[in-house]
Each structure stands twice: as structure tokens, then as C-alpha cells.
Amino acid sequence: MHKLSTIKTTASSRDQTRADLLFRGFTALCAIGLILIVVGIFIELLMNSWPAIKKFGLSFLVSQKWNPVPGIEEFGALSSIFGTLATTAIAMLIATPMSLVIAIFLVELAPPRMAGIVGGAIELLAAVPSIIYGMWGLFVFAPFMQDHIQPFLGEVIGGPLFEGPPMGIGILTAGIILALMILPFITAVARDVFLMIPNVVKEASHGMGATTWEVTYKVVWPYCIHGIVGALFLGLGRAIGETMAITFVIGNDHSISASVFSAGTSIASTLANEFTEASEPIYLSALFELGLVLFGLTVVFQIVAQLWLRRLRKSTGGRA
Amino acid sequence: MKPRSNWTRRSINFMVMAVSTLSSFIGIAVLVWVLYEIIYRGIGAFNWDFFTKLPTPPGVEGGGLANAILGTVVITALATLIGVPIGLFAGVFLAEFGLRSKLSGPVRFVSNILMGTPSIIIGVFVYAMLVVTVRHFSGYAGAVALAIIMIPLVARTTEDMLNLVPDTLRESALALGVPRWKTTLDIVFKAAKKGLLTGSLLAVARVSGETAPLLFTALNSPYWPGWLNKPTGNLTVTIYNYAMSPYTDWQQMAWGASLLITLGVLFLTLCARFLLQEKK
């Protein structure tokens, strides 16, 4: 009797080892699935853009021509790349100071109950889909830009940067909408970074007679700078590939102009607009190559951001 | 350095604080403005027909977006069925077996890359994989695209949530002779249940408002979704098409759809938040 039960346990424990191995293998398979997807994206983009890469070579990246007429097609990504970088730059210029200021307001100034409500609202706004910002941009904000902001900027500042008729849509409008979209996101992350500082440190500085601004600038800021830069990288990564918020208001024009009032296009909005219309294989291939460029840009940003965060984790010696 | 007088320090402080408060209010006011317009313009489109009827051509009264509402629900549900299990078990691998595996570093790295990949690129990828090969757009392709977006999100939250479960719990289960797989599924999952549900809900909320990955996969359609093997109507692409059209009644529909999708996403996000708070 005793012997029998021993045999039984060993048999079942062997089964159990097998089941454990199977379970482990299954989870590993799911994890490998992630790697396969990313490698798959790269390979599909590369394969499909190969005809365009072969035909246009490096000139694709520096040419401004975008002519899909069959027979005399010529494709260059420069206008799309320019639009992507210009709108992202405008968005970061606006969103960076604003989100930091709002985060400081929430952590240092606002009464706790208000900070809770406003902070919660901002986190909810980060969840609003981008097409909603696009709708609002097209129907509400673009007319507002046309009637108020653009004429004002044109008259008061002027110069080549703010030149041309106020059309409402264009690079500047797209950049502002993009800023609004990433604002809640960066604010939420920046607030969490600010909150990581031990209260004792702040209390000690206040106890020495420092003003709130001095505490923020000289004590909190040096503590947080790495985390903030990480938050900005994340926001930048969002802005650079954002599609729907921009497509509505950028104007979708393959030209490069110094004025931020003029219509332009970004890689993502070119894809959104022209992908289903591309009839010729070489046209489609050029669009795939645009996708490859965008994928490459985001991967580079991701790698830089991750290296940065890893260094941060090492320097703070813990999770950040 | 000459020490600043108290008065200067105080006035600098006051100015910075004033600017900071003011810009906070501007930023928050603009965000409220966005929400206000969506509600104000969207609520007018809501009526019985909007939720029950098929779309009509521009100018014809009484159409609705019932097919697009159903399409979005079905595509999102299918995406959840594909994306959540894969993401969940990938997260299990990272949290439970990742410590001693050479695979976990690359998987984490790639998962971050995928999280940062623009959704339109995922649309283009699925187009090349599933649309070109079968030569037509389909709801399936849309669901796969959304699932791909969900996988890294779910994997990340699963890993974080499982890491919160104390190791002593695992050790005591293993010491009782419970096999590893059972420990994970019955004991660790139970301890992390709310966190896992929150992560999945947030991922669903995130993809249910996505437009770009559906543009070249599910496309859009004025008919009922059927078996998803054809272009499938959905709310977000409908918003895009209708908003870009010159017809005011279609634009009105687009506002209604915008409000509906916003309410849906916010509801899911609030549910997730509520769940997480209950835990504490």
C-alpha cells in the first residue's frame, strides 16, 4: 500500500513537470510572438518598399517631388518628413512648458482636493481618442485660428514665419492640436515624477525659508530632470506618429514652406490619405517606404528613450 | 553672488506662481473646451434612429449608425479575444520565468518598441499581411491590427501586476506541492485579479477609439457587419469619412459618433480606475 502510493506520486510529479514545461513553453511562445510581430513589421515594410528603394534610391529621402501621375511618377519623402518634424517641434515647444507648469501647479500649488480632481480629469483626457481632437481641430479650432490667432500673429509678429493668408488649417494649427493631445499625457507622467520626491526634502527647504519657486527650481528640479526628459521623450514618440489629429487640419499639400500658416503634410497623414487610393504598384511602394521611414524614426526615439531611462534607473539605484 | 533681497525673492516667487496658475487654467480651459464642443455638438445627433438604423445617403432623413456601432463593438471584442490572452501570457513569462531567461531582455525591449510604434504603421503592416494576400479588406484584419496594439500594453501591465504579488505566496503554494502552472493560474492570478482586469480594460479603452489601424484593414461599410470577411463599418472610420464630407447632415452624424466613442472610452477608463481604487 505504501509502495503503491509512492509510485503514484512520482508518476504524477513527472506529469506535473511535463505540464510545467508545457506551460512555460506556452508563455515563452507568446513572448516570442511580440518579437515576431516587430520583426515582421520591419520585414513587410522593407519588402514592400523595395521597388521604390531600388527605383529612387537615396533621393527618396531628399527629394521634394511627389507626383503620383501614372507614367511619370516621382516620389520624394522630404515634404512629409518636414511636416512630421515641424508639427512635432511646434507641439513640443508648446506642450513642454505648459505640461511642466501644470504639473508644478498640481503638485505644489493647488489645494489637495482640487489637485485630485484636476489631475484625474487630465488623466481622463489623455484617454480621449485622437480622432476626437481631429474633429475639434477641423470644425472648432481651425475657424478660430483663421479669425483670431493667425491674423494677430501675422500683424504683430509677421516675418517669413507667419506669412500668408490665414486659412485656419496648416502646419501651425496641426502643431497646436498635437500639443493639446500630448499635453495631458506628459502632464500626467511629469506629475508622477514630481510626486516621487520625498516630502522631507521639500519640507526641509521650506523650513530653511526658501520660497515655493526656489524649492521647485533648486531642489525639486535637479531631482526630477531625468524623469522629466523621459516623459518628454514619451510625448515626442506619441507626437511623431500621430495620424488622425493631424490629418484633419494639416492641409495635405506636398510642399515645403517657411511659413507655419501654409498647408503641409506629415508622413502619417500622407499614409492615411493616399494609401487606399494608390493604384500603381510603385506609388504603393513609395507609401510603404514612407511607413518604413516613420517606423525607423520612432524606433530610434524609443531606443534613445530607453537607454536614457536605463541610465536613470542605474543612477537612482531603484525603480523610476 | 549677491544675495537677493527678500522682497525680490518673494516677488519672483509670486510672479512664477501666478504665471504657473494662469497657464494651468488656460491649458485646462482648452481641454474643457474640447469636451464641451464634443458634447454640445454631438448630443444633437442622438435619437432613436441614430442607434437603430443603417446610414442613409446625404440629404436623406432618418439614418443612423447602428451598423458602425455594432461593427466597432464586434471588432474590438474580437481584438480583445486575440490580444488579451497573448499579452497576458507574454506578461506571465516576463514576470514568472523572466528572471532566469535570456529571452526576457529582448522581449521587454521589443515590447516597448511596439508600444511606441504609430498605430498607422500597424495598419500598414496588417494591410500587407492580411489584406493584400486575400485581396479584400475585412473586419478580421481590423481586429488583428487592434490586437497587435493591445498585446504590448497588456503584457506590460500583467508583468507589473504579477510582480506586485509577494514571492512568499508562490513559495508556499509550491511547498504544498502545487505545480508551477497551477500556482500561476490559480493563486498568483487570483491575487492579481483586479490589476489584470484593469490592465485589460485600459487596453480595450485605448484601441476602441483607434482610427488609423482600421483605415486600411476594416475600411468602412454602410451595411451590417455580417461575418467580418468584408469591409466592416465602424465608428471611428465613419467619423473620418463623414467629417471630411461636405454634407452637413453627415458631419452632424460624425459629431454624434465622436460623442458616443468618447463616452465609451471614458466609461471604460473610469471602470478601470474604479477597480484599481477599490483594491487599495
Side-chain angles (χ1 to χ4, degrees), chain A residues 232-254:
Chain A
L232 293 180
F233 266 121
L234 291 176
L236 186 68
R238 282 213 159 180
I240 209 161
E242 181 40 52
T243 312
M244 301 323 293
I246 284 198
T247 307
F248 277 101
V249 290
I250 198 166
N252 302 305
D253 178 34
H254 286 277

Side-chain angles (χ1 to χ4, degrees), chain A residues 20 105 123 209 213-214 306, chain B residues 9 13 112 180-181 273:
Chain A
D20 273 355
F105 173 78
E123 279 172 30
W213 168 243
E214 283 164 347
Q306 283 193 40
Chain B
R9 287 175 52 213
N13 184 51
N112 281 332
R180 193 71 203 257
W181 64 271
R273 201 150 291 272

Side-chain angles (χ1 to χ4, degrees), chain A residues 13-303:
Chain A
S13 86
R14 196 175 299 143
D15 278 353
Q16 283 181 0
T17 329
R18 198 173 297 152
D20 273 355
L21 271 179
L22 229 90
F23 180 64
R24 194 198 149 118
F26 178 68
T27 59
L29 206 69
C30 289
I32 290 170
L34 273 163
I35 299 183
L36 288 183
I37 290 171
V38 172
V39 173
I41 291 175
F42 181 70
I43 291 176
E44 280 285 357
L45 288 177
L46 192 66
M47 257 171 43
N48 282 291
S49 55
W50 197 245
I53 295 175
K54 247 184 6 200
K55 187 164 176 196
F56 306 114
L58 274 180
S59 76
F60 183 80
L61 292 176
V62 291
S63 161
Q64 203 192 317
K65 291 208 176 73
W66 189 267
N67 184 8
V69 179
I72 49 164
E73 298 110 329
E74 229 180 318
F75 296 103
L78 197 63
S79 56
S80 299
I81 296 175
F82 170 79
T84 299
L85 296 180
T87 48
T88 306
I90 293 173
M92 292 308 286
L93 275 178
I94 299 170
T96 304
M98 277 206 101
S99 53
L100 292 186
V101 153
I102 296 179
I104 291 176
F105 173 78
L106 287 177
V107 175
E108 308 288 345
L109 292 176
R113 265 191 70 180
M114 184 182 175
I117 294 170
V118 174
I122 281 183
E123 279 172 30
L124 277 186
L125 279 163
V128 170
S130 61
I131 191 161
I132 303 299
Y133 288 93
M135 274 292 278
W136 180 82
L138 180 64
F139 289 107
V140 182
F141 193 61
F144 181 77
M145 284 291 285
Q146 185 171 22
D147 294 341
H148 303 288
I149 307 219
Q150 286 182 339
F152 172 79
L153 287 175
E155 270 171 40
V156 176
I157 305 176
L161 205 54
F162 299 106
E163 207 174 42
M167 295 185 295
I169 57 171
I171 297 272
L172 179 63
T173 311
I176 295 177
I177 303 272
L178 208 50
L180 279 179
M181 241 205 77
I182 58 174
L183 182 73
F185 179 72
I186 304 181
T187 305
V189 183
R191 188 198 56 174
D192 290 347
V193 174
F194 281 141
L195 282 176
M196 279 185 344
I197 298 175
N199 266 333
V200 211
V201 177
K202 283 193 279 185
E203 281 157 11
S205 337
H206 278 297
M208 302 265 295
T211 61
T212 308
W213 168 243
E214 283 164 347
V215 174
T216 306
Y217 183 68
K218 294 188 175 156
V219 180
V220 175
W221 188 246
Y223 231 108
C224 292
I225 178 83
H226 282 82
I228 297 292
V229 171
L232 293 180
F233 266 121
L234 291 176
L236 186 68
R238 282 213 159 180
I240 209 161
E242 181 40 52
T243 312
M244 301 323 293
I246 284 198
T247 307
F248 277 101
V249 290
I250 198 166
N252 302 305
D253 178 34
H254 286 277
S255 61
I256 297 178
S257 159
S259 170
V260 291
F261 288 175
S262 59
T265 189
S266 77
I267 298 179
S269 64
T270 302
L271 286 174
N273 270 308
E274 303 182 21
F275 205 80
T276 45
E277 289 168 11
S279 43
E280 302 295 312
I282 189 74
Y283 188 8
L284 197 61
S285 179
L287 288 171
F288 268 108
E289 194 176 351
L290 268 187
L292 187 64
V293 171
L294 180 59
F295 185 57
L297 274 177
T298 51
V299 168
V300 168
F301 275 119
Q302 274 294 322
I303 291 176

Side-chain angles (χ1 to χ4, degrees), chain B residues 21 23 236:
Chain B
T21 310
S23 4
T236 43

